[in-house]
Amino acid sequence: MIRILTIETTCDETAAAVVTDQLQVLGAVVASQDDLHQRFGGVVPEVASRAHVERILPVIDQALRQAGVELFDLDAVAVANRPGLAGSLLVGLMAAKTLCFAYDLPLIAIDHLQAHIYAGRISSGRDIFPCVGLIVSGGHSNLYRCQTALDFTPLGSTIDDAAGEAFDKVASMLGLNYPGGPAIERAAQGGDPKRFRLPRPLLADSSRLDFSFSGLKTSVRYQLFGPGRVKKGTGPIFTPNATKHQDEPSENWTCPLFHAQLVADMAASFQAAVIDCLVGKAMLALERTNSKRLCVGGGVAANTSLRKALEAESAERGFELIVPPLALCTDNAVMGAIAIERYYASEFEDLDLDITAGLVRN
Ligand code: KG4
Ligand code: ZN
C-alpha cells in the first residue's frame, strides 16, 4: 500500500491528510483560521502565514496519529505549492521539503485548483475524467477542460474578482460576518431574489467562458449606499427599527444598519446573480467542449442554492454532475490525493521546488 502525506496551506486553512493509493483517507485534519480573519472581513495574508507557522506541525502530527502512521511509513510527501497567498504557500512547502529531506522521501507538487476538482474523484469513488471542471473559491473562479488528472486545459477564469471574494465583500457591506458565503446563504433564505435588479456580467457574451464579479459588487454597493465615494455610516438606507439614530446619518456611525428584510433581499438578489453567471458559463463550457460531465469544487460549491441550480440545469440538459460534500468543497488536504496520480507518473520534484502564487496557465 502506498501512503502519502498531503499538506495544504494555500490560503487560511492549515490542513494535512494521509491518503492511500486506493484513495482511502487514513487521517485528515483541518485547522480553520476564520476566527482570526473575521474582524477584518477577509483574509489578511500576514496573519494567515503566521497562523500557518504555529499550526502546521501540530496539524501534521494529528493527521499522522489519526492514520496510525509514522513518518518512516510514508512513501511520499505532497504539498500544494500553487496558486495561493505567497506567505501561506511557503509555510506548507517548507514543512514538506523538511520532511522529505529528513526522511528521504520523494516530494510531489499539487496544483490547488486541480486538487479542488479531484475532490469529486474521491467523494464519488469513480473515475471522473474526462470532464469540465468548475472551481469557485475565495481566490478563483475557473473553468477547465480536464482530460485526465494530469491534463487540465484552462477554458476561462474571472477577469477581476473571484465569486467567493464577491460573497465576502457583499457580506461585509451588509454587516454580515466573514466568511461571507455561508452568511449570505443563511440571510438569503428569507429574501426576495427579485427585489434588487443586479447585472449578470459577461453572461450574455457567449463568445467567452470568463467571469466578472467586480461590477456586480459595485452595483450592490450603489444600491445600498448610492453612487459616489462611500463614507462609512452615511448610506441612505437605514433600518426603521435601528437602535441608533434613524433619520439622519451620523458621523459617529461606524457601520450602517440595514433592516433585516433588506439584508435578506439583497443577499438573495446577489446570490441569484452569481449563480446565474456560474451555471450559465458552466453549461456553455460543457456544450463547447462536447463534454458530458461537470465536476465542481471550491468553497462556493458549498452553497446549497448553487448546487440545486447546477443539479436542475445539468439534469435538464443530460449532463452528469459531481459535487463533493461540503467538507471536501472548502480547503482541505484530502483533495491532495491527486498526488497519487503524480506518484504513479513518477512526477517528483527536487528540493529546490518553489511556490507560484499566481495562476498557472498550463
Ligand atoms: O476554497 P475555499 O475554502 O478557499 C479558497 O481557496 O479560497 O473557499 C473559500 C470561499 C470564501 O470566499 C467563502 O465565502 C466561500 O468560499 N464559501 C461560500 C460558502 N461557503 C464558503 N460561498 C457561498 N456559499 C457558501 N455556502
Ligand atoms: Zn481553495
Side-chain angles (χ1 to χ4, degrees), residues 112 116 137 331:
H112 177 74
H116 265 306
S137 71
D331 285 351

Side-chain angles (χ1 to χ4, degrees), residues 13 112 116 137-139 164-165 167-168 179-182 185 298-300 302-303 329-331:
E13 255 94 36
H112 177 74
H116 265 306
S137 71
E165 146 94 12
F167 267 98
D168 294 336
E185 178 167 13
V300 181
N303 186 284
C329 285
T330 48
D331 285 351

Side-chain angles (χ1 to χ4, degrees), residues 339-352:
I340 294 286
E341 310 271 353
R342 294 202 181 274
Y343 183 91
Y344 280 122
S346 297
E347 289 191 14
F348 301 118
E349 309 296 330
D350 293 331
L351 288 185
D352 62 358

Side-chain angles (χ1 to χ4, degrees), residues 241-300:
N241 28 0
T243 48
K244 297 185 183 174
H245 320 275
Q246 313 168 8
D247 306 317
E248 290 175 30
S250 156
E251 285 303 312
N252 297 331
W253 286 29
T254 52
C255 176
L257 297 169
F258 298 121
H259 190 281
Q261 191 57 51
L262 182 142
V263 172
D265 292 344
M266 182 54 93
S269 303
F270 165 76
Q271 184 175 267
V274 175
I275 290 175
D276 282 352
C277 296
L278 295 176
V279 175
K281 290 295 180 188
M283 295 301 135
L284 188 60
L286 283 155
E287 282 158 14
R288 281 282 168 75
T289 55
N290 235 341
S291 304
K292 293 271 165 284
R293 188 182 296 131
L294 175 66
C295 284
V296 189
V300 181

